[in-house]
Amino acid sequence: MPLTDPAPRTLKHTRVIECKGYERNDGLWDIEGHLVDTKTYVHTSRDGGRERQPGDPVHNMWLRLTIDLNLRIHDVEAVTDSGPYAICGDVTPNFKLLAGLTIGPGWRKKIAARVGGVHGCTHLVELLGPLGTTAYQATGRARESRFAGQLLVEKPYQLNSCHVYRDDSPAVKERWPQFYTGERQTARK
């Protein structure tokens, strides 16, 4: 169901973020993100006052994380095709500093420590959030298949991450019965 009808309004800005996950032939995975910001009106760039037409990208940025099934980053590539200032893309090599990190608990703090503030780009750093989620989504089945038939000992990271995966929910009872905390029904005699 879509949102309710809005009040009368005029579109001024659009941000599009697209993330994709690719399984590579060498056993690694590429998780790619693309961020594009556009305006619906003519405006001047902040750097030099060049006129931008409606639809010209204010930001046009790319990130690729190459990871393994443990979600460890092996390589990073960042590209800024458009930014408000000519020097926006100068910081993209710093994103290589993310190599060696593992996507998981503390991900955002680890990002901030390496490429936060003056060491990075606000928009590329923002893109790393959805890329982390995309990494989990893209590799989920492959990661699960490594443990097929084994009873999990550690709680899955998904437990209590949302209402569907609360530890007393039917979804947890079905997927991870050993971690289910709701009422257990006894068999009738």
Side-chain angles (χ1 to χ4, degrees):
M1 170 169 39
L3 297 171
T4 59
D5 289 337
R9 59 191 186 172
T10 303
L11 178 65
K12 296 292 186 177
H13 180 87
T14 300
R15 169 169 284 184
V16 175
I17 295 175
E18 183 175 41
C19 299
K20 297 181 179 183
Y22 299 91
E23 184 176 9
R24 293 169 29 150
N25 294 340
D26 62 3
L28 296 176
W29 293 71
D30 283 336
I31 310 301
E32 294 184 355
H34 184 205
L35 179 148
V36 179
D37 282 326
T38 56
K39 305 285 185 197
T40 60
Y41 52 89
V42 174
H43 64 283
T44 56
S45 70
R46 299 208 182 273
D47 191 11
R50 182 182 67 81
E51 191 173 88
R52 283 197 175 106
Q53 296 301 309
D56 286 352
V58 176
H59 297 104
N60 187 8
M61 301 172 169
W62 304 81
L63 262 174
R64 178 186 298 137
L65 306 177
T66 300
I67 64 171
D68 59 29
L69 285 178
N70 293 319
L71 303 179
R72 188 173 146 268
I73 299 172
H74 289 254
D75 195 17
V76 180
E77 183 179 353
V79 173
T80 297
D81 286 332
S82 293
Y85 298 92
I87 64 169
C88 284
D90 293 354
V91 77
T92 57
N94 289 1
F95 284 80
K96 292 255 185 216
L97 296 171
L98 298 172
L101 293 182
T102 299
I103 299 167
W107 171 235
R108 291 188 189 271
K109 284 184 180 181
K110 294 174 194 174
I111 291 168
R114 299 217 180 168
V115 293
V118 298
H119 303 292
C121 162
T122 299
H123 306 293
L124 288 171
V125 168
E126 286 176 4
L127 188 53
L128 286 164
L131 280 178
T133 305
T134 303
Y136 272 97
Q137 292 287 323
T139 62
R141 298 290 178 167
R143 285 182 293 108
E144 284 178 8
S145 71
R146 293 186 301 175
F147 304 108
Q150 298 178 30
L151 189 62
L152 289 180
V153 179
E154 291 185 29
K155 282 188 175 185
Y157 70 88
Q158 297 98 324
L159 279 186
N160 296 313
S161 65
C162 73
H163 76 280
V164 170
Y165 285 144
R166 69 182 190 274
D167 55 16
D168 65 346
S169 75
V172 169
K173 184 177 182 179
E174 175 188 336
R175 189 166 178 192
W176 304 291
Q178 69 272 34
F179 298 109
Y180 177 69
T181 62
E183 285 190 33
R184 302 197 185 269
Q185 294 181 348
T186 55
R188 292 185 178 175
K189 294 182 182 182

